[in-house]
Amino acid sequence: MPQYVFKMKKGELEIEFSSDDADFVEQQLEKWREEILKKHVQQD
Amino acid sequence: MYYNIKIKCDGCEFSLDSCNKEIVECEMDKYFATMFGASEEFKSQIKDVEIVNSDIKSIEDFKKMEAGQPEENKISESSSVNDAQVDFDINENVNTNPKIEDEVIEDKVQNIEEDNQKEALINEQADNGITESYCEPSEFVPAVETPYCPLEYSTFDFENEEKKVQNDEVIDALFALNKSSIAPLQDTENLNRKDEFEKINLDDDSSLQKNIDNDVKSFDVSEKTEVSLEDDIVLPEVNQPENNESCNVSSSTPLYPKITISNEQISQNNGGIDDLIAKVEQEINAIDISDSNEFNKVLLDNSNASKKTDFVVEEELVLGDDDIIDVSSDLDNKIKDEVIDNNELLLSESKEENQDLINEPTQMADNEEIIAQPQEETETKEITEEDNVNLTIDNQESENINQAKLDDIFSDDIKQVDENQADENQNENTTNILDELTNPVPSYEEYLEQLNGIIKKNNLLNNKKDKQPLKSDFKSENTDFKTYLANFKYSNLIDEFLICSYYIKNILKQNSFSMKTINSNLYASSGEIADLSVVNELINLGCIKTVEVEEKKQYTITPYGETYFISKFQS
């Protein structure tokens, strides 16, 4: 089974997410990416 | 399917393993929102999920579990992003529990009060003149530690503030007590001295000086006594020289007798030395150097004296054994006879050689001296026969003379050979000069005619030798390859092939050629036939290339080949 690992780090806080559910990882990353893009658009 | 979340913060690590997708999604969205500050829409989309089978609900709980503490402030994971935010705030202020700080402050205040009681007892003892209970001042200094107050806990607390004020009052009181406790610690004697010193300062300078002198005297006496008591060393007295005229060297235990040298004695001694120098100079002047005979006599006397001593020594040594004397005398006589015989032989040989030289008609005038020398050597022979004492010396001299004469003879021979060679050269030169003198000098016209005749002869010879046509001639189309090739100096078949290819293109005006055509030319000119190795080598050099003409493989010279040909053969 493939394993997917994703790490986020901001300051001293670090989140590592790993899973073998490819769809879930994809959805989750897509959701976070859209949120980050929205935030940047609002700031600009 | 498995889902894992790891969260690291401040060296702590939080991990969540789950098979429930929704739980993991909820947790991750929460942390994402806290980290990056998600929008309201995102927050509203986060699902509310209750964690049932897990003791770890937050980082704080995880830390408490690690520390072994019971879970007190359980914060439910219920469900909103704001709660998660609060969780993080609490996590950062773990050590900021106000209850704990109050307990710490109360303990410190109790300690300070106990210290105050102790100090009060000490002060009472000091007032009663008891100084034995001296303690280090550092013990009286209270521990001035500000209560722990983190920045996050910045709310104004009235109770703690009052306690702080009380602490400050206590600290000030303690410092005052320390100052008063310094006096009884000082030595009473020192205090008395201080009083005296103050009195002296009040008096005039004379009294001050007296006191200082007294102090110095007392100090010296005490020091002396201490030295005499402790050590039995008696230092010798050192006397300063009283008179400048004499220098007395004395000591308590002198190793040498006293030496007293006065300046008068020194001056007298100096005068004696001067007298001696003057006497020596007079004696030296009295010697008459002009009469060299006297000087030689003195030298001879000295040398004879030394010889006599040597002779005496030899006699003393030799007289010990008579046999040795006889043997030595016999050997001396034999050596003398042999030397005489050798000398005679050398003289005879030299005579013969000199006679030969005299008989030669081409002898130079220098040889005359050599002829005369044997007579002198005969005289030396006579002398040797007369006086055997100087025989060895004369023999050596004669040998040296003979050797010198022989060297002279050989050197003369060599000189004669050189002179003969020089004479031959000189004779040739003289004959040439005589010829020039006898023949009359030619006129300018005659000289020009001679030159023209020489030039004509040379041209005829050149024409005979070089039958080659001029370049303008052999570049015509009618010239065959043999005459064309004769204008070039080639070393091998490759060069010949290149010349031929150039000839075909530039003279015969043919763009390409086959192996047959080129070999026919080569064979006609030099009797050689080129093979493919020659062709391949020229192709590799880039001088020729293959060309297909009417489906036949032919060759042509390349531009590089033409330039190479011109540079090599026509430059």
Side-chain angles (χ1 to χ4, degrees), chain B residues 101-118:
Chain B
E101 286 185 2
D102 290 339
E103 288 174 0
V104 171
I105 292 162
E106 283 174 3
D107 293 336
K108 286 180 181 176
V109 170
Q110 284 177 1
N111 291 326
I112 290 162
E113 285 174 355
E114 287 174 1
D115 292 335
N116 289 335
Q117 289 174 2
K118 287 178 184 176

Side-chain angles (χ1 to χ4, degrees), chain A residues 3 8-10 12-21 24 28 31-32 35-36 38-39, chain B residues 1-10 21 25 28-29 31-32 35-36 38-39 41-42:
Chain A
Q3 187 182 356
M8 287 187 295
K9 192 173 182 181
K10 185 180 180 183
E12 292 180 352
L13 185 63
E14 183 181 338
I15 298 170
E16 182 182 324
F17 167 59
S18 59
S19 175
D20 57 353
D21 188 351
F24 174 70
Q28 197 69 19
K31 193 166 64 179
W32 290 345
E35 182 61 26
I36 289 165
K38 277 181 192 173
K39 193 181 174 183
Chain B
M1 296 290 177
Y2 87 97
Y3 307 93
N4 174 257
I5 305 169
K6 279 183 186 175
I7 299 162
K8 292 177 184 175
C9 183
D10 293 331
K21 185 175 147 183
E25 187 181 354
M28 287 171 65
D29 288 341
Y31 287 117
F32 178 80
M35 283 173 76
F36 298 101
S39 62
E41 290 179 8
F42 186 82

Side-chain angles (χ1 to χ4, degrees), chain B residues 130-331:
Chain B
I130 299 163
T131 59
E132 291 175 355
S133 62
Y134 170 72
C135 298
E136 290 291 330
S138 62
E139 290 185 4
F140 295 101
V141 176
V144 183
E145 290 180 358
T146 54
Y148 177 72
C149 184
L151 292 170
E152 288 79 8
Y153 191 70
S154 60
T155 54
F156 188 79
D157 191 356
F158 288 99
E159 291 179 3
N160 287 329
E161 196 66 25
E162 285 175 4
K163 285 174 184 175
K164 282 179 189 175
V165 172
Q166 287 174 2
N167 287 334
D168 293 334
E169 288 173 0
V170 170
I171 289 158
D172 292 333
L174 287 170
F175 275 115
L177 286 167
N178 284 330
K179 285 176 185 174
S180 62
S181 64
I182 290 162
L185 303 174
Q186 293 174 346
D187 193 3
T188 52
E189 291 179 359
N190 289 327
L191 287 169
N192 293 326
R193 284 186 180 181
K194 277 187 176 178
D195 295 335
E196 287 177 2
F197 185 72
E198 287 172 358
K199 286 177 184 177
I200 289 158
N201 285 330
L202 293 168
D203 295 332
D204 55 0
D205 293 335
S206 61
S207 62
L208 181 66
Q209 187 64 38
K210 283 176 185 175
N211 286 321
I212 291 162
D213 292 336
N214 290 325
D215 288 338
V216 169
K217 284 174 185 175
S218 63
F219 178 76
D220 289 341
V221 169
S222 64
E223 195 174 41
K224 276 185 180 179
T225 51
E226 283 174 1
V227 169
S228 62
L229 286 167
E230 288 177 3
D231 301 319
D232 295 332
I233 299 162
V234 178
L235 295 168
E237 293 180 357
V238 179
N239 295 321
Q240 295 291 331
E242 291 178 1
N243 297 322
N244 292 325
E245 292 179 353
S246 64
C247 181
N248 294 317
V249 180
S250 64
S251 63
S252 59
T253 56
L255 295 169
Y256 301 102
K258 285 183 180 180
I259 300 161
T260 57
I261 302 162
S262 64
N263 290 328
E264 291 176 356
Q265 287 176 339
I266 291 161
S267 63
Q268 285 175 0
N269 286 327
N270 286 331
I273 291 160
D274 292 333
D275 293 336
L276 283 168
I277 292 162
K279 284 178 182 177
V280 170
E281 284 177 351
Q282 285 176 1
E283 287 174 358
I284 291 161
N285 291 324
I287 296 164
D288 190 4
I289 300 163
S290 62
D291 192 357
S292 61
N293 291 324
E294 290 181 0
F295 186 70
N296 290 326
K297 281 178 183 177
V298 171
L299 290 171
L300 286 166
D301 292 335
N302 289 324
S303 62
N304 287 325
S306 62
K307 283 178 182 175
K308 281 175 184 175
T309 52
D310 294 336
F311 182 69
V312 169
V313 171
E314 283 176 1
E315 279 183 346
E316 285 174 357
L317 290 167
V318 170
L319 286 169
D321 194 353
D322 294 333
D323 296 329
I324 293 164
I325 292 162
D326 294 331
V327 170
S328 63
S329 62
D330 292 336
L331 283 167

Side-chain angles (χ1 to χ4, degrees), chain B residues 330-340 391-392 395:
Chain B
D330 292 336
L331 283 167
D332 289 335
N333 291 322
K334 285 179 181 176
I335 291 160
K336 284 174 185 176
D337 294 333
E338 286 177 357
V339 168
I340 290 159
L391 185 65
T392 55
N395 284 328

Side-chain angles (χ1 to χ4, degrees), chain B residues 441-476:
Chain B
V441 178
S443 64
Y444 179 71
E445 292 173 354
E446 290 174 352
Y447 184 70
L448 283 173
E449 286 176 357
Q450 287 177 359
L451 282 172
N452 287 323
I454 291 160
I455 290 160
K456 283 176 183 176
K457 284 178 183 177
N458 288 325
N459 286 328
L460 289 167
L461 289 167
N462 288 323
N463 289 326
K464 286 178 182 176
K465 284 177 183 175
D466 299 328
K467 293 178 180 178
Q468 296 170 357
L470 294 171
K471 284 184 180 178
S472 58
D473 295 328
F474 70 79
K475 280 185 179 178
S476 63

